[in-house]
């Protein structure tokens, strides 16, 4: 059974008010709290107890899998390995994410290693949200690793969100995109206080007609630090795009490192990076409508990260 704190965390990271329809696996404080499978989606615990395998049958469409993780025990540190085997001609949504509530003095940490094996002509949307709360001095730490192996004609869309409360995170995503396949990443990130966040993306475009679009929007406040490190390599006739768009506030720091590696004369690779403060005219316009400077900043940041 989940307590109220854990239920609130699940609502934050997976937008769930009740148990979802379809397949799900909910992990709380290091153990399985609830699980459901369907005729087309099976969830099996690994024999060594380190995680789960999610197996989706060929032709599965309009179904979803929820696998949120919550930690409410201070000092708990875990590494979990989850593998997703998506058959051919599927169209599914996978919702992950981790929420940490830490009111103690010890650090709490969850490191999730997810591998996706996406079959031919399949389409998946993967949503991963991170959230932290609690007034303890112990840190909330999340270090996810995502590996994506696509087959021809597949489409992968990833939504990576971290808006509040995580003290330290290193997010690493590695993908190999074959002929006719597409990889889309949309990252939204906000740091405040003395938080640190590093996003690492390594995308290999290895087949003709492959494409990748990696876009990060972030806001850094106070004395927090962010690093966006994205590498797109083109080994065939492909198209790749990497973009970092950041707002910097207070005494924060944002480092954007977009890299392109063209290994084929027909590879088309583009990168963009823009870092700056909130424009004064934006603040003035909202303040003339009756908002305080702080309220105006919040409105601008909220719209930017939407």
């Amino acid at each position: 059974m989940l307590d109220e704190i854990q239920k609130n965390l699940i609502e934050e990271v997976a937008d769930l008010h009740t148990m979802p329809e379809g397949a799900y696996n909910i992990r709380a404080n290091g153990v399985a709290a609830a699980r459901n499978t369907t005729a087309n989606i099976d969830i099996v615990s690994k024999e060594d107890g380190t995680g789960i395998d999610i197996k989706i049958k060929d032709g599965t469409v309009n179904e979803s899998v929820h696998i949120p993780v919550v930690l409410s025990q201070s000092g708990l540190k875990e590494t979990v390995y989850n593998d997703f085997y998506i058959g051919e001609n599927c169209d599914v949504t996978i919702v992950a994410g981790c929420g940490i509530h830490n009111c103690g003095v010890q650090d709490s940490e969850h490191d999730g290693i997810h591998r996706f094996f996406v079959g031919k002509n399949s389409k998946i949307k993967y949503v991963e949200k991170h959230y932290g709360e609690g007034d303890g001095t112990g840190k909330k730490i999340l270090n996810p690793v995502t590996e994506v192996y696509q087959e021809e004609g597949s489409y992968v869309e990833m939504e990576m969100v971290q808006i509040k409360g995580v003290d330290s995170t290193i997010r690493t995503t590695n993908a190999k995109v074959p002929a006719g396949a597409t990889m889309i990443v949309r990252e939204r990130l906000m740091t405040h206080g003395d938080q640190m966040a590093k996003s690492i993306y390594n995308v290999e475009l290895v087949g003709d007609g492959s494409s990748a679009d990696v876009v990060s929007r972030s806001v850094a406040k106070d004395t927090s630090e962010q690093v966006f490190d994205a590498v797109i390599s083109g080994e065939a006739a492909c198209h790749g795009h990497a973009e970092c768009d950041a707002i910097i506030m207070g005494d924060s720091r944002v480092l954007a490192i977009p890299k392109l590696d063209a290994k084929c004369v027909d590879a088309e690779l583009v990168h963009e990076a823009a870092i700056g403060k909130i424009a004064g005219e934006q603040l003035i316009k909202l303040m003339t409508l009756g908002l305080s400077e702080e309220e105006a900043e919040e409105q601008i940041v909220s719209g930017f990260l939407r």
Side-chain angles (χ1 to χ4, degrees):
M1 293 291 292
L2 298 171
D3 59 30
E4 288 304 312
I5 289 176
Q6 293 167 344
K7 289 178 181 178
N8 290 336
L9 290 173
I10 288 176
E11 185 175 335
E12 289 286 349
V13 299
D15 296 322
L16 293 177
H17 305 282
T18 59
M19 287 299 180
E21 296 182 2
Y24 59 81
N25 186 88
I26 298 175
R27 184 179 179 89
N29 288 337
V31 297
R35 178 179 295 176
N36 187 60
T37 62
T38 68
N40 294 321
I41 302 176
D42 197 15
I43 301 175
V44 182
S45 297
K46 292 183 181 295
E47 291 184 0
D48 59 5
T50 59
I52 56 177
D53 291 335
I54 299 93
K55 301 176 181 180
I56 302 176
K57 292 182 179 179
D58 292 349
T60 301
V61 297
N62 298 325
E63 292 198 39
S64 63
V65 186
H66 289 77
I67 57 162
V69 174
V70 293
L71 275 65
S72 57
Q73 177 183 326
S74 182
L76 180 61
K77 299 182 180 181
E78 63 173 0
T79 301
V80 178
Y81 298 83
N82 297 331
D83 291 332
F84 300 80
Y85 300 93
I86 298 101
E88 298 182 359
N89 302 303
C90 295
D91 189 347
V92 296
T93 299
I94 300 168
V95 181
C98 179
I100 298 178
H101 179 96
N102 192 350
C103 285
V105 297
Q106 295 178 300
D107 295 348
S108 296
E109 179 175 348
H110 174 82
D111 299 336
I113 291 83
H114 291 176
R115 296 191 302 170
F116 294 84
F117 302 90
V118 186
K120 289 182 179 180
N121 302 316
S122 282
K123 178 180 179 181
I124 69 166
K125 181 174 183 180
Y126 175 66
V127 181
E128 183 177 89
K129 295 184 178 181
H130 289 163
Y131 171 79
E133 64 178 27
D135 55 6
T137 57
K139 292 184 177 180
K140 285 82 70 178
I141 303 170
L142 292 162
N143 294 317
V145 176
T146 304
E147 298 180 7
V148 183
Y149 304 96
Q150 297 179 236
E151 293 189 20
E152 292 185 5
S154 61
Y155 179 96
V156 173
E157 179 182 351
M158 312 188 80
E159 182 180 338
M160 310 295 211
V161 181
Q162 180 176 302
I163 301 299
K164 183 180 179 182
V166 178
D167 294 297
S168 175
T169 184
I170 300 175
R171 183 195 301 275
T172 304
T173 303
N174 301 313
K176 186 167 287 190
V177 187
T182 300
M183 172 77 169
I184 304 291
V185 176
R186 295 292 180 265
E187 177 184 80
R188 288 181 288 143
L189 171 68
M190 183 164 71
T191 54
H192 53 88
D194 60 355
Q195 296 173 351
M196 185 282 293
K198 184 173 185 178
S199 301
I200 303 170
Y201 294 96
N202 293 293
V203 181
E204 299 176 56
L205 301 173
V206 298
D208 288 347
S210 59
S211 64
D213 189 23
V214 180
V215 178
S216 173
R217 284 198 159 209
S218 69
V219 175
K221 297 182 176 182
D222 305 320
T223 59
S224 64
E225 294 189 9
Q226 296 180 10
V227 177
F228 174 77
D229 188 346
V231 180
I232 297 181
S233 62
E235 302 176 18
C238 60
H239 180 76
H241 173 249
E243 178 181 343
C244 172
D245 196 0
I247 292 176
I248 186 168
M249 305 172 67
D251 296 317
S252 61
R253 181 190 182 193
V254 177
L255 175 61
I257 316 170
K259 305 174 188 176
L260 305 179
D261 185 3
K263 303 176 183 178
C264 173
V265 69
D266 292 316
E268 298 179 1
L269 307 178
V270 179
H271 70 68
E272 304 172 73
I275 304 171
K277 64 180 181 180
I278 294 175
E281 58 267 24
Q282 289 181 288
L283 288 173
I284 293 171
K285 183 176 180 180
L286 290 176
M287 291 171 68
T288 59
L289 298 176
L291 275 65
S292 67
E293 183 174 354
E294 183 177 350
E295 291 171 335
E297 286 184 348
E298 289 180 358
Q299 287 287 330
I300 293 168
V301 167
S302 178
F304 179 76
L305 293 174
R306 187 170 300 141

